[in-house]
Amino acid sequence: MLTDGLHDVPRGKVAMVVTHLEMHAPAPTRPQPLPKGITFRQRQPDLAWYRDIFSRVGALDWLWYGRLKMADTDLSAILADPKVAFYTLTRDGRDEAILELDFRQEGQCELAYFGLTSELIGTGAGRFLMNEAIRLAWMQPITRFHVHTCTIDSHLALSFYIRSGFTPYRRQVEIDDDPRLSGLLPEAAAPHVPIIRP
């Protein structure tokens, strides 16, 4: 158990505070039309599509890396699982968002990944996508919809989830190898998180 006060993070590691949030009934949504020129659609992703959209939405700006370090066979199993659903927003023929809903735990849905590329931020597309996430999750027989975010993600993420009707219920500290030092991500990724070399 951690005690109060400061705790050293080993060199070569990243540390983040993870906040877990949940809702136990559909949250009311604020109507948001889909911005002009953008379409919403479901995807049956392959590895190339998924790794591309995952990287463009989160890896370079926010240090998303969990799915990038997975073996192809393990990630392919998730992508092919009928209890995991994938959606995107498309503009000018290019997908610019990820919405991943994971129903593998009975009676629950995890908002596993949610985000937009910089091309759509500020257009209202994020609110539209969250409205769809809430609608689609609660169309299934669930009693809990949950998500987590962390302090190396966008500083807007936590407040957005709370405004969307999720309630924080748990906080954890996570420490992991810095993915930029292993070459998984470029060293220029997520400049708001400094690299501290071993």
Side-chain angles (χ1 to χ4, degrees):
M1 172 181 285
L2 289 176
T3 58
D4 292 347
L6 298 174
H7 300 271
D8 286 339
V9 175
R11 291 177 173 273
K13 301 281 187 176
V14 288
M16 61 213 86
V17 177
V18 179
T19 301
H20 299 263
L21 307 97
E22 63 187 355
M23 63 174 72
H24 291 278
T29 57
R30 185 183 72 228
Q32 174 66 50
L34 193 59
K36 186 176 180 180
I38 299 174
T39 57
F40 173 71
R41 64 189 180 123
Q42 188 168 9
R43 283 292 309 241
Q44 183 54 57
D46 57 28
L47 279 170
W49 178 87
Y50 188 89
R51 291 192 189 281
D52 172 69
I53 195 66
F54 186 92
S55 295
R56 289 191 295 116
V57 167
L60 297 181
D61 289 335
W62 310 116
L63 219 58
W64 290 12
Y65 62 92
R67 290 286 171 81
L68 297 180
K69 67 181 183 180
M70 290 181 72
D72 287 354
T73 52
D74 295 335
L75 181 54
S76 292
I78 295 172
L79 301 185
D81 195 310
K83 293 185 178 181
V84 185
F86 303 87
Y87 301 86
T88 191
L89 296 172
T90 305
R91 184 167 76 176
D92 298 329
R94 189 177 195 202
D95 294 335
E96 301 287 357
I98 185 170
L99 167 57
E100 181 177 336
L101 299 174
D102 187 340
F103 295 94
R104 289 178 293 175
Q105 189 169 354
E106 186 174 355
Q108 301 190 34
C109 177
E110 179 183 6
L111 181 56
Y113 286 98
F114 177 95
L116 314 172
T117 69
S118 58
E119 297 297 317
L120 296 188
I121 291 174
T123 67
R127 176 53 55 199
F128 174 89
L129 193 63
M130 178 55 75
N131 288 350
E132 288 300 300
I134 293 169
R135 180 183 69 82
L136 290 163
W138 290 100
M139 283 176 60
Q140 303 301 316
I142 65 169
T143 58
R144 179 174 178 256
F145 187 26
H146 62 103
V147 65
H148 67 268
T149 188
C150 71
T151 49
I152 62 174
D153 204 349
S154 169
H155 68 283
L156 301 173
L158 181 57
S159 61
F160 178 79
Y161 290 137
I162 292 171
R163 290 196 312 275
S164 299
F166 290 95
T167 300
Y169 71 92
R170 184 182 186 190
R171 186 172 292 129
Q172 296 177 297
V173 175
E174 180 179 2
I175 297 174
D176 201 359
D177 293 333
D178 192 321
R180 296 165 296 185
L181 293 177
S182 66
L184 184 64
L185 292 176
E187 289 195 7
H192 67 291
V193 181
I195 295 174
I196 300 180
R197 300 178 187 278

